[in-house]
Amino acid sequence: MSVRGPIDPSSIGKTLVHEHILVDFIGAKMINNERWNKDEVMDKVLPYLDEVKVAGCNTLIECTPNYLGRDVVLLEKLSSTAGLNIITNTGYYGGSDNKFLPEHAFTETADALANRWINEWKFGIDKTGIKPGFIKTSVNPGPLTDISKKLINAAAITHLKTGLTIASHTGPAVPALEQIEILKKGKISPSAFIWVHAQNETDRSNYVKVAKDGAWVSLDGLNDENVGEYADHIDFLNKQKLLDRVLISHDAGWYEPGKPGGGKFRGYTTLFQKLIPELEKRNMSELEIKTLIHQNPKNAFTVAVRRLKNK
Ligand SMILES: [Zn+2]
């Protein structure tokens, strides 16, 4: 589901699974869409979207949640102007000591929060008619707090009603494994879960464990300095026959309101210009590379309820 409506999964093309157009760190109490000028953001961001299009990318998945600068009207305009699919999200960002959670996230039940997210799927976001294409949540790096558990339960309820995939900003393995357990208790297959920022986990045996369980391992902090390291991770998972569980992206961008000219912007092309040539040098086949940047995003983000099969 893109900001311009549904797209056939087979036409998703090469996809960047975790990027940002605009992020505002002012916090849930202060944030509002008047803090940035859409035309100014468009002028700044469009050249970077043109760059990824030239690199052969068709789809960019925008991971900025509500209360952190999600502006779906802006995303729709950028998508139409650049001729690039953009996918946005529903859900709440519970990490960073809950700075980006609205008041009602603390007081409402998981069911009530899920209802808000389900309504965005059913009726569109903020009366725009623009629908989310996945659920984005976030938890702190340690064991899950009560509010994190509530957010994941809300995500589970939302998944069963909408079929939207859950991408959770997580980092280390401990909270990733806990979230997967919560989903399993809710009879949801781990294949509905994306372990975002898995690169922050240093023990690679945890990648194997999670991938074998069927969840997505998202290595999404690629930049010009860590191309070799990412190629090593990919090689390792390929040798374990788990390439079909891996997602790669930059977590790059973004226009930051409050900074002059939106601050420093990081482009989205390292994957195409540096990582793919490096993988080719390591004898990865065209088909394997296609799996990584086309087939896996398609499988991860196709809207479908994924129930746990009884063993
Ligand atoms: Zn991010």
Side-chain angles (χ1 to χ4, degrees):
M1 176 61 74
S2 84
V3 294
R4 287 189 286 162
I7 46 176
D8 192 306
S10 64
S11 68
I12 191 170
K14 292 179 187 168
T15 300
L16 290 169
V17 298
H18 188 119
E19 308 296 344
H20 298 276
I21 300 283
L22 179 147
V23 186
D24 188 351
F25 295 100
I26 190 79
K29 284 196 177 75
M30 302 276 285
I31 199 159
N32 68 77
N33 287 16
E34 307 291 299
R35 287 182 30 87
W36 53 91
N37 175 299
K38 286 194 205 329
D39 291 331
E40 215 180 285
V41 181
M42 298 263 301
D43 286 346
K44 174 116 180 181
V45 177
L46 272 170
Y48 295 99
L49 298 185
D50 289 340
E51 249 178 23
V52 289
K53 270 209 77 182
V54 169
C57 176
N58 287 3
T59 304
L60 181 143
I61 298 183
E62 217 281 343
C63 286
T64 308
N66 198 3
Y67 300 101
L68 258 156
R70 182 190 65 170
D71 180 342
V72 297
V73 173
L74 171 70
L75 297 183
E76 195 271 331
K77 276 187 175 180
L78 281 166
S79 171
S80 303
T81 311
L84 183 77
N85 299 321
I86 297 181
I87 297 180
T88 188
N89 63 82
T90 190
Y92 292 159
Y93 191 96
S96 307
D97 298 321
N98 305 321
K99 182 183 174 192
F100 305 108
L101 287 177
E103 272 310 310
H104 64 252
F106 298 94
T107 54
E108 289 183 3
T109 62
D111 277 301
L113 295 175
N115 262 336
R116 290 174 182 268
W117 304 346
I118 293 163
N119 282 338
E120 289 199 328
W121 168 252
K122 279 189 183 157
F123 308 114
I125 294 164
D126 301 334
K127 299 196 172 83
T128 59
I130 298 169
K131 294 183 175 184
F134 65 107
I135 303 160
K136 173 80 189 282
T137 55
S138 166
V139 300
N140 286 320
L144 295 184
T145 60
D146 285 347
I147 188 135
S148 289
K149 286 179 189 164
K150 184 165 81 176
L151 291 176
I152 295 307
N153 274 311
I157 297 163
T158 306
H159 173 76
L160 288 171
K161 283 277 186 321
T162 63
L164 295 176
T165 303
I166 302 160
S168 186
H169 169 118
T170 295
V174 169
L177 296 167
E178 279 191 52
Q179 290 174 93
I180 291 167
E181 278 317 304
I182 290 176
L183 296 183
K184 283 180 172 173
K185 266 194 201 131
K187 301 270 182 282
I188 296 168
S189 160
S191 64
F193 182 79
I194 301 173
W195 174 13
V196 173
H197 305 329
Q199 69 272 9
N200 295 348
E201 168 59 43
T202 46
D203 179 355
R204 284 204 286 223
S205 68
N206 283 309
Y207 298 171
V208 174
K209 187 174 176 186
V210 166
K212 277 193 173 156
D213 210 11
W216 297 95
V217 177
S218 182
L219 305 168
D220 45 36
L222 179 68
N223 62 50
D224 284 352
E225 274 69 57
N226 61 21
V227 171
E229 197 185 307
Y230 272 62
D232 287 346
H233 290 328
I234 294 164
D235 253 352
F236 168 79
L237 286 158
N238 197 16
K239 289 201 175 90
Q240 305 276 333
K241 305 262 179 279
L242 291 168
L243 194 68
D244 65 350
R245 295 286 102 194
V246 185
L247 298 168
I248 302 291
S249 211
H250 308 92
D251 196 13
W254 46 74
Y255 187 100
E256 200 177 330
K259 287 199 172 163
K264 199 173 172 322
F265 200 100
R266 185 159 68 90
Y268 314 103
T269 54
T270 302
L271 190 151
F272 304 102
Q273 289 169 356
K274 304 227 161 112
L275 181 67
I276 291 175
E278 175 62 28
L279 295 175
E280 285 167 346
K281 239 193 327 192
R282 295 175 183 221
N283 292 321
M284 248 178 102
S285 71
E286 210 178 304
L287 188 70
E288 287 167 328
I289 291 169
K290 195 181 170 198
T291 297
L292 210 49
I293 61 174
H294 182 168
Q295 205 62 34
N296 288 353
K298 178 194 134 197
N299 291 340
F301 287 91
T302 295
V303 179
V305 175
R306 277 145 281 177
R307 285 182 205 279
L308 197 60
K309 295 198 177 70
N310 290 322
K311 289 204 179 108

